[in-house]
Amino acid sequence: MFRIPSIDVAMALIFVIGYAGIIFEESLAFNKSGLGLLMAVSLWAVRSIGAPSTDIAVSELTNASAEVSEIVFFLFGAMTIVEIVNVHQGFKLVTDNITTRKPRTLLWVIGLVTFFLSSVLDNVMSTILMVSLLRKLVPPSEFRKLLGAVVVIAANAGGAWTPIGAVTTTMLWMHGQISTLKTMKDLFVPSAVSLAVPLALMSLTSEVNGYEQDSSNVMASEQVAPRGQLVFFVGIGALIFVPVFKVLTGLPPFMGILLGLGVLWILTDSIHYGESEKQKLKVPQALSRIDIQGVLFFLGILLSVSSLEAAGILQELANYLDAHIPSSEVIASAIGLVSAIIDNVPLVAATMGMYDLTSFPQDSQFWQLIAYCASTGGSMLIIGSAAGVAFMGMEKVDFFWYLRKVSGFAFAGYVAGIAAYLAIHNLPISLPTTVAQFPLLSGS
């Protein structure tokens, strides 16, 4: 009777210590990927001791590894496709159309472009692309920092309403908590509101209205690589085709992303055949540039959380929350607030372990709010999302600058988006949609 609680305490302690190390990785000078992997192996080692038998622990680990591997393979394929398109300068087809230099207009254009771009790409890549663009559009200034903050908010908001726009949304989609069409239809308006409110408030600030525009064109003379347009359309098409592939075949999404990667691999090998100086445009070179350590971090975190789920610790936590916080909307909103401080990937993974589809069925308000809150909540602090951390590193933005200048706007958008979602679902409001009649997507 004493052994199992002791094991539970030991696992909880390992997770807390490991996660604290991840949060303070900069101060400790330890890479969070290494900490995540060490934590995962330690937790499963302790789980094997506390399980009724080693065979049971091995079986639990095998099942957990199968689920985690699907997400890892998906991320691996998607990141490679995005990198191939990027190295061909394919995204210049989008960014070259941003020609305005009027501060207020530029604020909205940057926000909207990032919002829709991140609905197809992941929010980190969208942030990197758009911040790189800002360096060519706007000289170093307080206004450029504010535009970069807009990119962070828009990238997180855009990733909330499509199943491939953010890692957390992808996790929920791949495990069946949300579906493609229902998510896009129900979360588009709240996500758009969570961006529109900060943009409207920022438009009134002195940094925007007092900025004197530079009439000179500082756009770089980068050229789209040979057949870059073709690679762009095939790459984006491959990403968009993944939900359709899932419906047509019934196979998990990572198979669809691997199909797209295979097609793009053959395409780039063909169009650059015999061009030895174009090796950097091919998949083998792209593989060396993707964020492998980021993938390993996700692997470590997801395996760690799965060990807590196997031990029943997450279920006990869920029971505690249900007893003390009866409102699922409050729980989801609180998770979003916490995600401003703690990485949203383990938060969502833990939530998925705490509540199954019998507690909250697919596309219930709880899961949709989790998708929205976990993605947009990270915008409230610059360290609350991978997009914010990327912006912080690229533009050397200070934590307290973001807290003073942006956090309030992001919080207002976060709350407004939740209010919009609850209003749409609890008031007799009917949103027109014709996509719902599309036969291929109706059950995805």
Side-chain angles (χ1 to χ4, degrees):
M1 295 294 292
F2 180 75
R3 182 186 178 189
I4 293 179
S6 298
I7 291 295
D8 288 353
V9 170
M11 293 183 68
L13 191 59
I14 291 173
F15 185 81
V16 170
I17 293 174
Y19 201 75
I22 291 172
I23 294 175
F24 297 105
E25 65 164 333
E26 294 293 335
S27 301
L28 299 174
F30 293 137
N31 188 281
K32 67 180 180 180
S33 300
L35 292 170
L37 293 175
L38 183 61
M39 179 172 63
V41 176
S42 299
L43 284 168
W44 275 106
V46 175
R47 173 57 187 160
S48 69
I49 297 173
S53 70
T54 303
D55 291 339
I56 291 178
V58 170
S59 176
E60 292 171 343
L61 177 58
T62 300
N63 293 333
S65 298
E67 294 182 1
V68 170
S69 296
E70 290 189 13
I71 297 176
V72 171
F73 286 143
F74 183 91
L75 292 174
F76 186 81
M79 291 168 68
T80 307
I81 290 175
V82 170
E83 175 59 30
I84 294 169
V85 175
N86 187 40
V87 77
H88 281 81
Q89 297 294 330
F91 294 111
K92 281 179 63 64
L93 296 174
V94 176
T95 58
D96 277 356
N97 289 305
I98 302 177
T99 57
T100 182
R101 297 295 183 273
K102 296 179 179 179
R104 187 175 296 180
T105 304
L106 187 60
L107 185 82
W108 282 87
V109 170
I110 291 294
L112 292 174
V113 169
T114 307
F115 179 80
F116 287 103
L117 192 63
S118 67
S119 68
V120 179
L121 308 181
D122 67 277
N123 51 7
V124 178
M125 180 55 69
S126 301
T127 300
I128 293 173
L129 288 172
M130 294 305 294
V131 171
S132 298
L133 169 70
L134 290 178
R135 291 175 171 177
K136 304 166 188 174
L137 288 175
V138 182
S141 60
E142 194 78 358
F143 179 56
R144 192 170 88 177
K145 287 184 180 180
L146 199 64
L147 288 176
V150 167
V151 168
V152 173
I153 295 174
N156 290 330
W161 65 278
T162 67
I164 59 175
V167 174
T168 50
T169 318
T170 300
M171 289 164 57
L172 292 167
W173 174 55
M174 293 181 66
H175 282 82
Q177 278 82 3
I178 58 176
S179 63
T180 303
L181 177 64
K182 187 73 172 171
T183 299
M184 295 175 67
K185 184 168 70 73
D186 290 353
L187 291 185
F188 175 78
V189 171
S191 299
V193 168
S194 74
L195 172 62
V197 169
L199 288 179
L201 295 175
M202 288 180 180
S203 297
L204 305 176
T205 62
S206 59
E207 286 86 352
V208 175
N209 292 310
Y211 178 73
E212 296 182 3
Q213 63 185 36
D214 187 353
S215 60
S216 62
N217 190 346
V218 295
M219 286 294 290
S221 58
E222 297 171 330
Q223 297 296 319
V224 177
R227 275 79 71 185
Q229 292 188 14
L230 175 62
V231 172
F232 171 79
F233 287 114
V234 172
I236 298 300
L239 294 173
I240 296 175
F241 181 70
V242 172
V244 180
F245 176 87
K246 181 177 183 289
V247 174
L248 292 176
T249 65
L251 295 174
F254 80 91
M255 293 296 289
I257 208 73
L258 293 181
L259 170 66
L261 177 59
V263 170
L264 202 58
W265 198 322
I266 298 301
L267 174 65
T268 52
D269 279 351
S270 299
I271 62 179
H272 299 303
Y273 177 75
E275 300 175 348
S276 57
E277 72 280 2
K278 300 290 177 59
Q279 291 301 313
K280 69 172 186 177
L281 301 179
K282 295 185 178 181
V283 174
Q285 290 293 318
L287 291 172
S288 68
R289 292 189 298 271
I290 64 174
D291 185 16
I292 294 295
Q293 72 171 14
V295 175
L296 291 176
F297 170 68
F298 294 134
L299 174 64
I301 287 295
L302 295 176
L303 283 177
S304 297
V305 171
S306 66
S307 71
L308 301 180
E309 180 181 0
I313 296 174
L314 295 184
Q315 186 57 53
E316 294 178 9
L317 180 58
N319 294 337
Y320 177 84
L321 291 176
D322 289 339
H324 293 80
I325 309 177
S327 171
S328 59
E329 289 83 1
V330 174
I331 293 175
S333 301
I335 288 174
L337 292 174
V338 175
S339 72
I341 304 172
I342 299 176
D343 192 285
N344 56 7
V345 171
L347 279 178
V348 172
T351 305
M352 291 163 56
M354 289 159 54
Y355 302 99
D356 55 25
L357 291 175
T358 58
S359 302
F360 298 104
Q362 185 184 59
D363 291 323
S364 62
Q365 288 192 19
F366 176 75
W367 291 122
Q368 289 191 341
L369 277 174
I370 288 294
Y372 166 82
C373 294
S375 184
T376 59
S379 299
M380 286 182 278
L381 292 177
I382 197 170
I383 61 171
S385 67
V389 173
F391 166 57
M392 187 179 188
M394 293 179 71
E395 289 291 283
K396 303 298 183 288
V397 175
D398 181 73
F399 172 87
F400 293 102
W401 177 90
Y402 191 95
L403 183 65
R404 293 193 315 270
K405 299 287 188 178
V406 182
S407 294
F409 300 136
F411 177 74
Y414 175 76
V415 173
I418 294 176
Y421 178 87
L422 295 177
I424 291 172
H425 287 80
N426 295 298
L427 295 177
I429 300 175
S430 177
L431 294 179
T433 177
T434 58
V435 183
Q437 307 303 319
F438 190 63
L440 285 178
L441 295 179
S442 58
S444 57

